[in-house]
Amino acid sequence: MPLWIVIGVAAAVFVLVFVVAATFNVFSSETVDEAEERWTGLPGEFTSRDLESVRFRPALRGYRMEDVDEAMALLRARLSELESATASDGPETAAGPR
């Protein structure tokens, strides 16, 4: 059997093992408890200080999508709430009383 076939098969097996290990977070530095821990999210009436302390759980290619999606939904809802409060106050809030 030619040497290049053996090297090719060995490389394919190596890549397959690497992909399977990465899928099961074998290369993650977090413990099993940390990996299964749920993201706590933001408090109901969060402030800019709360946003400074937000940390997402790492995943294979960045952060866990469900954590980021949840954070974005909370930010969207809070921004909409603030925009509607500003709109109901009228233009006096931004420019001062006329």
Side-chain angles (χ1 to χ4, degrees), residues 19-56:
V19 168
V20 169
T23 302
F24 291 103
N25 288 332
V26 171
F27 303 116
S28 175
S29 63
E30 60 189 2
T31 64
V32 173
D33 292 336
E34 290 172 337
E36 293 177 356
E37 185 175 289
R38 185 86 178 111
W39 183 61
T40 55
L42 293 166
E45 294 293 321
F46 60 87
T47 64
S48 59
R49 283 191 181 197
D50 294 324
L51 292 177
E52 291 173 5
S53 65
V54 170
R55 298 290 180 263
F56 297 109

Side-chain angles (χ1 to χ4, degrees), residues 3 8 11 15 17 28 43 65 67 73 75 77 87:
L3 182 61
V15 168
V17 167
S28 175
M65 282 195 315
D67 294 351
L75 289 169

